Amino acid sequence: MRKIDPDANRFRKIVRGKIRENLKQYVSQGELIARQGKKSVSVPLPQIDLPNFRFGQTDQGGVGQGEGDEGDPLGAEQAEPGPEAGDQPGEHVLEVDVNLEELAEILGEELELPNIEPRGSSSILVEKDKYTGITRNGPESLRHFRRTFKQALRRQISSGSYSKENPVVTPHREDRRYRSWNTSKVPQSNAVILYMMDVSGSMGNEQKEIVRIESFWLDTWLRSQYENLETRYIIHDAKAKVVDAHTFFHIRESGGTKISSAYNLARDLIQKEFSPEEWNIYLFHFSDGDNWGGDDTTHCLDLLNNELLPAVNVFCYGQVKSAYGSGQFIKDLRQAYQEHEKVLLSEINSRDEILPSIKTFLGKGH
Amino acid sequence: MFHDRDLTPELVEWKDTIRQVAVDSGLDFFEVLFEMVDYDEMNMIAAYGGFPVRYPHWRWGMQFEELQKQYSYGMAKIYELVINNDPCYAYLMRCNPLVDQKLVMSHVYGHSDFFKNNAWFGKTDRKMVDTISNHAVRINRYIDEHGKDVVEQFIDVCLSVENLIDIHSPYFSQKENVTEEQRAKERQEAQGTRIPTRSYMEDFINPPDVIEQEKQEILNKIEQTERFPQDPQKDVLLFLLHHGRLQSWQRDVLSIVRDEAYYFAPQGMTKIMNEGWASFWHSRIMTGGILDASELIDYADHHAGTMGGGSGKLNPYKLGIELFRDIERRWNTGQYGSEWESCEDVHGRNDWDLGHNKGLEKIYSVRSTHNDITFIDEFMTEDFAVRQNLYTYKFDRSQSQYVMESRDFRDVKNRLLDQLANSGRPQIEVTDGNYGNRGELLLEHHWTGTPLKMDYARRTLENLEKLWGRPVHLKTQIENKVKILGYNGSRHEERNES
């Protein structure tokens, strides 16, 4: 352990506390999504630095050195010259990298999310290699020095060529030992999230933004719970299709809504790629609740009852409020599944309701 | 740690050689102990402000993470790290090639000489390595007594005002303030009326809270009788130490923060000179025989790296070294004094050389007596500013970017001096410790035309209130109006000066 580790840990703890404190704001503003890297998120933390009396004007300018004429713009790199020069307009805010697992943990703590007990996890085994063995042959890069010399020493002592006065140990070819791997089988939990979204004319940008933010946090949490998480995106109006994440969040279609089209496609996808024996399946559907008509809703309920619900861990329906939607669909679902343990429903009327909605969807630990 | 640590025999030899060259050049330094560290340790020590041990605090962890991140992204790497102490401690990065190690050693001898001889460092603690580890011991004891959170939060409060010191105060003795002392004595003697009784009855006859209350009343009366401080006090921390309502451990923590602030202050006041001086000497020592011909390209590359502003930044290393070189040249050729000043003949000025050869002597004396402000003020000439391509820039709102403003010598110099004044921080002093005759604290922002950052100022006031124990006020200007900000422990207020 390094001397500074307690201080560094202390700092991480403060960072976590601040993020937790402001989680609601981070979630509703959705600003973390844009800052997402591969494994971490860069979180702006304005209040963590120590306040003191300082000058407020950030555009007071300074003194620089170099070629050029009066009125010439300075390059971007020159933004911070001088001993105490003005910073960028706006403020330099401390940003801390937080990895996604930690973020998920914070979300879990704040919403008191239970850990997920994966379904059928023990039945799915994957092979993993671990370097735990020793062999006599192998590449030099894997040579085990200690074992090699030990072997040489043993040989020399038994053959009497080792002397205490001149303790030189010379390994021969046959003394060499190499690291090798053993293959073991470990259970793995796989999960797939199928996001479905209504992109009919009535879903506006704000509605999609809400879906985007919510799915970011759902992703983050579920990713922390499963070793292997896949995502698939389905959009639908009157027809459904599978798209990539970017399209999912940015496409704008128009036209009517046939929710059953999406459920049909989800069923096909599950049948083709994600067998329920091997996968934990999460269905999330977001819509403004306007469906084509009662017939289609009946069709949807049939699909859910007979095909989807038996296959999935959970079916979550989030209804975002839009100016045009009637919001009927959630009422139909509510009526059909009053206390069904696999069906979770939530209404998201504004960004502030994203966090409670996440809690509804994940709070049961399915 | 009284020896160099982990130095290869080759480096030990080089150290001796470089040290001898430094002595022969007239440098007069504290002995330097070098320690070889890898980047992890280097970042750790740097996060601790150069010291091997500090009291526990999260901000070291924050700085460490920042440095690690910068290093691993290849954005920045710490070349040299040296502490003002007798002996001087300096660190060498293990992975650096020999030429870099030699450069850093030469540079460090420059710093050590500067620490030892510059007047502004004259009053700093030269056994700071020991002092700072004592601070750590003391603070750890308070943590054991009062809990980590309590102590750490209090340290945060103190750090928030750590720059409210008077950087000049170590150079004059504090005025004997008799009444101040008398009052301190009265305050110490203040206690409630105690009725003599048997010890087991003590708590009943003389309930401690009543005694305490009475004592507070007397204290309040004392505070109300006189106006203090008699003169505005720039050392706000000292004032708080003397008069703030603090527990003894809090007082000690505050004094630790203050001591450390005074120790580090001269480094902020002499950044340009100190780096300029060290660079001047590493350049002279390296090119004076230490450098192997095969290392020339690498040396030039790294030297240029340190000197380079890249894209017009004003680099303290560069400004410092050039100014020292300019002084040396001027005093060698005699380009100073009234005769030089009054010469207006261009050719005459160009060929001016009286052969005085007083350059080296002059820069040695400059490094002893000046700080950045006086250094720039006295030695930055118009010729220099023109030759160095200096300019001022400003933020242009219409273009949303910085643009060059002026190459006028007076503008450049004034802007530079403005930035250096009070190390670029607002000047704030205590003017009334019994404000409104209610024992409240009034600070005044010495107005120089630039407003304070208000959200920070309010949060700082909250911290000041914790140290003072009564409502605190700050007089400053907002949008060209004199305002008095106040915080009473629960609420902020802002009003016009009455």
Side-chain angles (χ1 to χ4, degrees), chain B residues 171-385:
Chain B
Y171 302 94
F172 49 83
S173 55
Q174 290 287 336
K175 252 183 300 179
E176 284 300 316
N177 202 333
V178 184
T179 56
E180 198 63 57
E181 266 180 11
Q182 273 175 347
R183 275 147 35 84
K185 198 168 163 228
E186 276 177 54
R187 198 175 295 111
Q188 222 166 25
E189 286 165 357
Q191 50 181 334
T193 1
R194 212 175 269 276
I195 302 155
T197 176
R198 289 177 198 280
S199 64
Y200 61 87
M201 291 296 285
E202 173 74 18
D203 281 1
F204 299 98
I205 305 289
N206 301 314
D209 48 335
V210 174
I211 301 267
E212 183 58 24
Q213 201 183 336
E214 231 178 295
K215 179 181 166 186
Q216 282 306 324
E217 274 166 21
I218 295 171
L219 284 178
N220 288 349
K221 242 180 230 159
I222 296 170
E223 305 220 336
Q224 281 164 16
T225 50
E226 267 187 82
R227 178 183 168 77
F228 83 109
Q230 289 178 328
D231 300 310
Q233 169 77 265
K234 282 187 197 163
D235 192 342
V236 180
L237 287 193
L238 184 69
F239 191 77
L240 290 168
L241 267 180
H242 285 333
H243 309 293
R245 287 166 205 215
L246 298 167
Q247 295 172 35
S248 67
W249 72 268
Q250 292 178 321
R251 211 171 290 271
D252 194 37
V253 170
L254 184 60
S255 79
I256 286 172
V257 169
R258 179 171 170 271
D259 286 350
E260 295 188 3
Y262 270 110
Y263 168 80
F264 285 110
Q267 310 196 6
M269 295 164 68
T270 56
K271 176 91 181 152
I272 296 171
M273 282 186 79
N274 200 346
E275 292 304 350
W277 183 250
S279 301
F280 180 92
W281 284 106
H282 86 226
S283 152
R284 190 148 294 191
I285 291 172
M286 287 296 278
T287 53
I290 295 299
L291 197 59
D292 185 81
S294 66
E295 298 170 332
L296 181 66
I297 303 289
D298 284 332
Y299 165 75
D301 186 32
H302 295 161
H303 178 73
T306 353
M307 292 306 128
S311 57
K313 272 186 196 173
L314 191 63
N315 178 339
Y317 291 70
K318 169 84 175 158
L319 183 62
I321 192 177
E322 293 297 347
L323 212 47
F324 272 118
R325 282 177 176 164
D326 194 51
I327 296 168
E328 190 191 27
R329 184 188 56 79
R330 282 171 58 205
W331 262 260
N332 272 340
T333 54
Q335 296 181 359
Y336 58 93
S338 57
E339 224 176 304
W340 162 258
E341 301 290 343
S342 55
C343 171
E344 283 176 9
D345 170 29
V346 177
H347 293 295
R349 277 176 86 94
N350 276 343
D351 303 334
W352 190 287
D353 187 354
L354 307 177
H356 282 187
N357 274 333
K358 285 188 174 163
L360 212 53
E361 189 187 321
K362 181 66 184 174
I363 58 172
Y364 269 113
S365 103
V366 168
R367 76 94 158 77
S368 297
T369 50
H370 284 266
N371 63 33
D372 281 351
I373 294 183
T374 58
F375 185 56
I376 300 283
D377 193 30
E378 188 159 344
F379 299 108
M380 183 188 272
T381 60
E382 186 158 7
D383 283 347
F384 180 84

Side-chain angles (χ1 to χ4, degrees), chain A residues 10 12 49 59 66 78 87, chain B residues 149 152 311 397 402 456:
Chain A
R10 191 85 189 153
R12 300 304 306 185
D49 54 348
D59 53 358
Q78 289 150 297
D87 211 337
Chain B
D149 288 340
E152 194 173 59
S311 57
R397 284 181 191 282
Y402 287 97
Y456 274 64

Side-chain angles (χ1 to χ4, degrees), chain A residues 124-194:
Chain A
I124 308 157
L125 297 175
V126 244
E127 295 193 340
K128 267 199 174 160
D129 294 336
K130 274 189 175 170
Y131 283 90
T132 49
I134 294 286
T135 63
R136 286 164 161 269
N137 304 305
E140 289 304 306
S141 57
L142 289 179
R143 193 169 63 201
H144 196 305
F145 280 86
R146 219 156 64 118
R147 287 290 190 92
T148 303
F149 274 87
K150 223 172 165 180
Q151 195 61 35
L153 182 64
R154 190 179 288 164
R155 177 181 49 73
Q156 274 177 253
I157 289 173
S158 62
S159 69
S161 60
Y162 177 80
S163 81
K164 276 184 183 164
E165 285 71 40
N166 183 25
V168 178
V169 178
T170 319
H172 288 180
R173 179 88 199 104
E174 67 270 20
D175 295 329
R176 295 199 184 159
R177 294 292 180 272
Y178 301 88
R179 291 183 171 82
S180 83
W181 63 91
N182 290 319
T183 308
S184 59
K185 295 200 166 177
V186 289
Q188 195 191 9
S189 50
N190 298 318
V192 59
I193 309 180
L194 299 179

Side-chain angles (χ1 to χ4, degrees), chain A residues 2-3 7 10 12 49 51-52 54 56 59 61-62 64-68 70-74 78 81 85 87 89, chain B residues 40 48 52 57 65 149 152 160 311-312 388-389 391-393 397 401-404 407 419 451 453 456 459-460:
Chain A
R2 296 170 303 198
K3 218 183 306 170
D7 294 321
R10 191 85 189 153
R12 300 304 306 185
D49 54 348
N52 51 21
R54 62 175 75 170
D59 53 358
Q65 185 171 23
E67 304 291 330
E70 286 163 24
D72 283 0
L74 276 66
Q78 289 150 297
D87 211 337
Chain B
D40 244 19
Y48 282 143
H57 193 263
E65 278 209 359
D149 288 340
E152 194 173 59
S160 163
S311 57
Q388 292 295 321
N389 272 328
Y391 59 81
T392 63
Y393 62 83
R397 284 181 191 282
Q401 60 180 344
Y402 287 97
V403 297
M404 281 188 197
R407 284 195 180 275
Q419 286 182 345
K453 189 167 158 51
Y456 274 64
R459 282 168 60 206
T460 311

Side-chain angles (χ1 to χ4, degrees), chain A residues 132-319:
Chain A
T132 49
I134 294 286
T135 63
R136 286 164 161 269
N137 304 305
E140 289 304 306
S141 57
L142 289 179
R143 193 169 63 201
H144 196 305
F145 280 86
R146 219 156 64 118
R147 287 290 190 92
T148 303
F149 274 87
K150 223 172 165 180
Q151 195 61 35
L153 182 64
R154 190 179 288 164
R155 177 181 49 73
Q156 274 177 253
I157 289 173
S158 62
S159 69
S161 60
Y162 177 80
S163 81
K164 276 184 183 164
E165 285 71 40
N166 183 25
V168 178
V169 178
T170 319
H172 288 180
R173 179 88 199 104
E174 67 270 20
D175 295 329
R176 295 199 184 159
R177 294 292 180 272
Y178 301 88
R179 291 183 171 82
S180 83
W181 63 91
N182 290 319
T183 308
S184 59
K185 295 200 166 177
V186 289
Q188 195 191 9
S189 50
N190 298 318
V192 59
I193 309 180
L194 299 179
Y195 287 111
M196 297 178 280
M197 180 164 59
D198 180 357
V199 289
S200 61
S202 52
M203 289 281 284
N205 281 337
E206 176 61 16
Q207 281 76 26
K208 272 184 223 150
E209 187 61 22
I210 289 178
V211 175
R212 200 162 82 97
I213 294 169
E214 177 144 352
S215 60
F216 167 80
W217 290 95
L218 293 170
D219 249 33
T220 304
W221 174 252
L222 289 172
R223 215 170 276 285
S224 74
Q225 299 285 312
Y226 290 100
E227 285 158 59
N228 181 18
L229 183 81
E230 301 259 341
T231 42
R232 292 288 185 277
Y233 299 91
I234 296 173
I235 52 172
H236 73 88
D237 42 23
K239 286 197 313 279
K241 57 185 166 190
V242 178
V243 295
D244 60 27
H246 182 83
T247 318
F248 184 77
F249 293 117
H250 295 92
I251 198 165
R252 193 182 163 91
E253 305 263 289
S254 58
T257 316
K258 234 169 147 180
I259 294 178
S260 65
S261 64
Y263 292 0
N264 261 320
L265 191 56
R267 178 201 55 198
D268 295 347
L269 211 57
I270 291 172
Q271 278 175 358
K272 221 167 62 195
E273 287 185 50
F274 304 104
S275 120
E277 282 81 51
E278 289 174 31
W279 293 84
N280 291 279
I281 301 167
Y282 289 83
L283 279 184
F284 288 100
H285 180 217
F286 298 97
S287 146
D288 59 0
D290 231 3
N291 203 5
W292 189 260
D295 283 357
D296 193 66
T297 304
T298 320
H299 190 37
C300 288
L301 293 178
D302 281 350
L303 273 169
L304 281 171
N305 283 329
N306 300 326
E307 318 241 11
L308 292 175
L309 288 180
V312 301
N313 282 34
V314 70
F315 167 76
C316 298
Y317 175 71
Q319 185 157 297

